[in-house]
Amino acid sequence: MIRWVSSQSRLVGFNYHPVWEIVFGLFLVMSAVAIPVLFFRFNGFQLKQYPEWLFCLGFFAFFSWMGRALIFQAFLARIEGDRVVIEHNLRDPPVSISRALGEWTNTLVSESSGEKGENLHLLVLVSGTEALELYRSVNPGEIAALRDAMVDLRRSAIPDTSSITKKG
């Protein structure tokens, strides 16, 4: 889900949140809470069940950690003055990039293959003479939506001057 950020009828950024991953993260957190609660409800607290309680504690900690990591994912792109700032924690390691608007020439989608042979789609920011990989995913729709949002943000930040003609 892409949410646009605007200021005085001008786009200044967007936030992308992967809805299905967030929903699955919520499910994991609810499961992490529900399993120990149900175990206590049906068994009570008995000292002879300490291995089961240790399992419930480990289950709670692990599933809460995984769910929290999925819930708080975001891809943020914004214009700050004369710079474009892109940050995300969708995959490890987290990315934080800041480039001058004048250097940002294009945003591309390319393909690559992963370690296990899966087809990956890459979101690439072309800045000057360098191409920076912003994000990779197996979902081409996700990458296309992010690319379209980046193109719209660039178009808003750097107006196209090629269609302006001088009157002589």
Side-chain angles (χ1 to χ4, degrees):
M1 174 176 70
I2 293 179
R3 181 180 307 155
W4 289 98
V5 179
S6 61
S7 172
Q8 299 174 356
S9 73
R10 180 176 160 239
L11 295 176
V12 293
F14 69 90
N15 302 329
Y16 169 73
H17 301 278
V19 175
W20 286 113
E21 291 181 20
I22 291 171
V23 168
F24 187 67
L26 288 170
F27 170 75
L28 290 176
V29 168
M30 289 188 307
S31 298
V33 172
I35 296 299
V37 167
L38 288 173
F39 184 79
F40 179 72
R41 165 71 175 89
F42 289 111
N43 296 313
F45 185 75
Q46 300 173 17
L47 198 54
K48 65 181 179 180
Q49 293 177 326
Y50 76 90
E52 289 88 350
W53 278 108
L54 288 175
F55 172 79
C56 283
L57 180 63
F59 184 87
F60 175 77
F62 182 66
F63 276 61
S64 295
W65 170 75
M66 281 188 358
R68 183 188 169 281
L70 288 173
I71 289 171
F72 294 107
Q73 294 185 89
F75 184 103
L76 312 167
R78 63 187 179 280
I79 305 297
E80 290 183 353
D82 64 341
R83 302 190 71 73
V84 61
V85 178
I86 301 163
E87 300 171 333
H88 78 76
N89 61 351
L90 298 173
R91 303 287 181 264
D92 280 338
V95 172
S96 181
I97 296 173
S98 176
R99 294 288 185 263
L101 276 175
E103 294 178 7
W104 181 14
T105 55
N106 204 355
T107 307
L108 305 172
V109 173
S110 66
E111 291 188 18
S112 176
S113 38
E115 296 174 4
K116 298 176 186 172
E118 68 271 10
N119 191 22
L120 296 174
H121 303 275
L122 310 174
L123 180 66
V124 178
L125 177 80
V126 180
S127 174
T129 59
E130 65 180 337
L132 303 165
E133 178 187 326
L134 297 178
Y135 179 55
R136 63 177 51 207
S137 176
V138 295
N139 184 350
E142 179 182 34
I143 294 294
L146 284 171
R147 183 205 173 275
D148 292 344
M150 292 292 290
V151 167
D152 289 344
L153 181 63
R154 183 176 185 276
R155 192 175 299 133
S156 173
I158 306 171
D160 185 17
T161 58
S162 64
S163 63
I164 301 174
T165 58
K166 292 184 178 181
K167 292 185 178 180

